[in-house]
Amino acid sequence: MIVLAHRGNLRGPDPMHENSPDSIAAAISSGFGIETDLRRAADGNFYVSHDPMQPSPRNALAVHAALWRSNPDATVALNIKETGNEAQLIGELNTLGVAGQVFLFDMELIEPVAGEMAARFRALDRHVAIAARVSDRREPSARALAIDAAETIWLDEFDGPWATRATVADLIRAGKQVYGVSPDLHGATPEQATRRWQDFASWGVTGICTDWPLRLAAELGIVSA
């Protein structure tokens, strides 16, 4: 199973350091994948941050991409925060040598029609990986499966556990990789999250995204690099 360190966090939420180069480097060196956020500055340069902020050399996409490349086997889930920059982004990811390491997701949250950005990304690069959202907020599996460009599913549970073994089995049967969002990202305790990790693991998900990757790895007996 692939464990994604949410914004590079290893031991729980850490707003002061999340998405920083130091946090990302520590997560990658611990053998985990990364979930992180991408924005574009007014000057046209991409930077890593969940919220809009002043870009700096430390949060530049190029700096983070160099960290990702330090472990080319590490999966990077790239949360796309803005629309309209698809061609530039694909070009940048290819130039930086990380286009084959990332999957792009959460475009449905910012686009008027679900799947439009996925189609544009696929037209620009037939190899880049793309995820479609499935959640308890009017994002059913059928809608995600209709996004032809997406070979991956981002399975989210905002208001409590709703997905079942059958939900995941149907998605896997459709040929999709499935990444489950740990409930700790929506306020659940680590103990509550642990129970869901066990569910996800028994259902055969591809990976789990959490603020507690070290705890998850220990609970599920996952040996990191």
Side-chain angles (χ1 to χ4, degrees):
M1 178 188 293
I2 296 171
V3 180
L4 297 179
H6 181 241
R7 304 178 192 169
N9 292 327
L10 286 174
R11 297 176 178 85
D14 188 0
M16 292 295 294
H17 300 101
E18 65 183 22
N19 275 333
S20 69
D22 290 343
S23 294
I24 300 299
I28 289 177
S29 67
S30 297
F32 299 116
I34 298 294
E35 185 277 347
T36 193
D37 308 281
L38 190 68
R39 293 187 174 276
R40 182 178 179 273
D43 63 4
N45 291 314
F46 291 103
Y47 67 99
V48 169
S49 178
H50 180 265
D51 300 310
M53 65 180 297
Q54 184 65 34
S56 72
R58 278 182 59 78
N59 63 17
L61 173 59
V63 170
H64 283 258
L67 297 173
W68 308 341
R69 291 196 308 270
S70 69
N71 182 355
D73 293 328
T75 298
V76 178
L78 202 52
N79 190 324
I80 306 301
K81 292 294 187 181
E82 295 148 351
T83 185
N85 311 301
E86 291 82 8
Q88 182 187 354
L89 175 57
I90 290 295
E92 191 83 0
L93 294 174
N94 277 294
T95 297
L96 293 171
V98 294
Q101 193 173 353
V102 306
F103 69 81
L104 313 178
F105 79 103
D106 263 9
M107 287 84 72
E108 296 97 322
L109 299 180
I110 58 174
E111 61 188 356
V113 178
E116 286 185 338
M117 289 179 68
R120 288 200 292 273
F121 280 130
R122 175 60 69 245
L124 290 161
D125 187 328
R126 63 190 181 93
H127 298 297
V128 69
I130 296 166
R133 290 183 54 81
V134 173
S135 83
D136 47 348
R137 301 243 177 127
R138 299 182 299 280
E139 295 177 314
S141 295
R143 189 188 78 162
L145 293 175
I147 300 177
D148 293 335
E151 63 284 287
T152 300
I153 297 295
W154 190 255
L155 182 65
D156 214 342
E157 298 181 310
F158 287 98
D159 301 317
W162 66 267
T164 65
R165 181 184 297 275
T167 306
V168 173
D170 287 344
L171 294 168
I172 293 174
R173 193 175 301 113
K176 308 299 183 181
Q177 295 188 336
V178 180
Y179 284 81
V181 175
S182 176
D184 64 85
L185 300 190
H186 299 307
T189 66
E191 292 74 22
Q192 291 169 326
T194 297
R195 291 193 290 272
R196 204 53 170 163
W197 299 341
Q198 293 166 344
D199 289 338
F200 284 150
S202 70
W203 299 345
V205 299
T206 306
I208 300 173
C209 179
T210 179
D211 276 328
W212 298 88
L214 289 171
R215 180 174 181 142
L216 188 157
E219 290 284 351
L220 299 186
I222 298 171
V223 178
S224 59

